[in-house]
């Protein structure tokens, strides 16, 4: 005997709520009506949901091209000694190796080509003049600024001379060691010299820096351009006078540190007077090349002129 199936509930008149015989039917009807009303709200003017952001579709900022770095114009003194030009050229080759892409040019104050005005005439844009001089004096304070002023087509800056600086003392120390003066008991620091008092002050500071590197060994500054005879107290000493002063203190064979960037008459004259080891000029020593770049960077960072050094340890980015 088959079980009878209950008949469906009668249809309700229009406008009359339909009775539900289970909770499931009630929930189904509720979901249907809710979805229908939400769809009507969206169709009546709510803005559509924006598309998801994709970083790959974002516009990329346009980076302006890097401005060219100012040309480094190394200003050498010049010499009739043919080895001087070769030495300065080797130094600038080392500078280029340390800073690839930097334009480096050479100009001389006198005696050698190219002269500084000729080098400046061939440039455009910006330039930084770095004197390959080891102290202040007439060339650094007058001659080079005058040449820059005569090149109005350029935007120029003038760096400090290379000395005094710890990197200069490092190069002097290394040249002494190469000459066999690893542990000298005294040193004469031979420099070109100048009538400018700033030159003597700079050379004296370099002598103190070198003495510090040597562990307190006495270092006496002396000048190739000073009179050979001893002058009044406070007068800059010539190399022979400095040697006599050290001999009077018991130092009969002091070493000679050559505070010259390149070979020349003064460097040869001072070395010939030394009774002990005589160092070669600084030339293309790596510390000197780093110092050239340090002075270039200093001039770019300075506002309105040269900056003074705090004679501490130098951090040089090349």
């Amino acid at each position: 005997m088959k079980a009878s199936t209950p008949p469906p509930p009668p249809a309700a008149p229009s406008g009359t709520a339909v009775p539900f015989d289970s909770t499931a039917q009630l929930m189904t009807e509720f979901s249907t009506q809710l979805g229908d009303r939400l769809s009507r709200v969206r169709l009546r003017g709510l803005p559509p949901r924006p598309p998801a952001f994709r970083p790959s579709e974002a516009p990329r900022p346009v980076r302006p091209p890097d401005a060219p770095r100012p040309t480094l114009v190394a200003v050498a003194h010049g010499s009739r000694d043919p080895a001087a030009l070769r030495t300065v050229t080797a130094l600038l080759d080392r500078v280029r190796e340390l800073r690839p892409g930097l334009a480096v040019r050479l100009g001389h104050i006198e005696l050698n080509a190219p002269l500084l005005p000729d080098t400046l005439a061939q440039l455009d844009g910006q330039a930084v003049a770095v004197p390959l001089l080891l102290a202040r004096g007439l060339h650094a304070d007058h001659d080079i600024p005058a040449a820059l002023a005569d090149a109005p087509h350029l935007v120029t800056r003038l760096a400090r001379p290379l000395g005094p600086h710890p990197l200069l003392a490092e190069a002097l120390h290394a040249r002494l060691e190469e000459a066999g003066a690893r542990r000298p008991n005294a040193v004469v620091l031979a420099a070109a010299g100048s009538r400018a008092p700033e030159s003597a002050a700079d050379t004296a500071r370099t002598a103190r820096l070198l003495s510090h590197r040597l562990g307190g060994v006495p270092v006496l500054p002396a000048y190739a351009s000073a009179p050979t005879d001893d002058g009044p107290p406070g007068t800059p000493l010539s190399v022979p006078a400095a040697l006599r002063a050290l001999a009077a203190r018991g130092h009969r064979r002091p070493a000679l540190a050559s505070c010259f960037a390149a070979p020349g008459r003064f460097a040869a004259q001072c070395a010939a007077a030394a009774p002990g080891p005589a160092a070669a000029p600084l030339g293309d020593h790596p510390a000197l090349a780093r110092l050239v770049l340090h002075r270039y960077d200093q001039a770019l960072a300075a506002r309105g002129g040269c900056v003074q050094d705090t004679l501490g340890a130098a951090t040089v980015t090349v």
Side-chain angles (χ1 to χ4, degrees), residues 39-46:
S39 65
R40 291 178 182 178
V41 169
R42 185 169 59 251
L43 292 174
R44 288 180 182 178
L46 287 182

Side-chain angles (χ1 to χ4, degrees), residues 10 16 23 40 62 78 83 85 91 96 103 114 128 130 137 148-149 160 176 179 192 218 227 237 255 262 268 288 315:
T16 305
T23 302
R40 291 178 182 178
V62 178
L85 180 57
L91 172 63
R96 294 183 184 98
V128 177
V130 181
L148 298 181
R160 281 182 55 88
L176 280 172
L237 296 176
L288 201 67
T315 301

Side-chain angles (χ1 to χ4, degrees), residues 4-24:
S4 59
T5 302
S14 176
T16 305
V18 179
F20 296 99
D21 60 355
S22 69
T23 302

Side-chain angles (χ1 to χ4, degrees), residues 20-59:
F20 296 99
D21 60 355
S22 69
T23 302
Q25 289 181 350
L26 178 64
M27 294 301 296
T28 300
E29 180 65 19
F30 175 77
S31 299
T32 301
Q33 293 185 18
L34 178 62
D36 177 65
R37 295 192 178 190
L38 288 176
S39 65
R40 291 178 182 178
V41 169
R42 185 169 59 251
L43 292 174
R44 288 180 182 178
L46 287 182
R49 185 176 181 180
F53 174 74
R54 297 179 181 179
S56 61
E57 297 177 357

Side-chain angles (χ1 to χ4, degrees), residues 93-117:
D93 286 342
R94 193 179 289 275
V95 169
R96 294 183 184 98
E97 291 173 0
L98 292 174
R99 191 74 61 87
L102 176 64
V104 180
R105 301 291 184 267
L106 173 62
H108 292 90
I109 297 171
E110 58 184 2
L111 301 177
N112 283 114
L115 294 174
L116 178 58

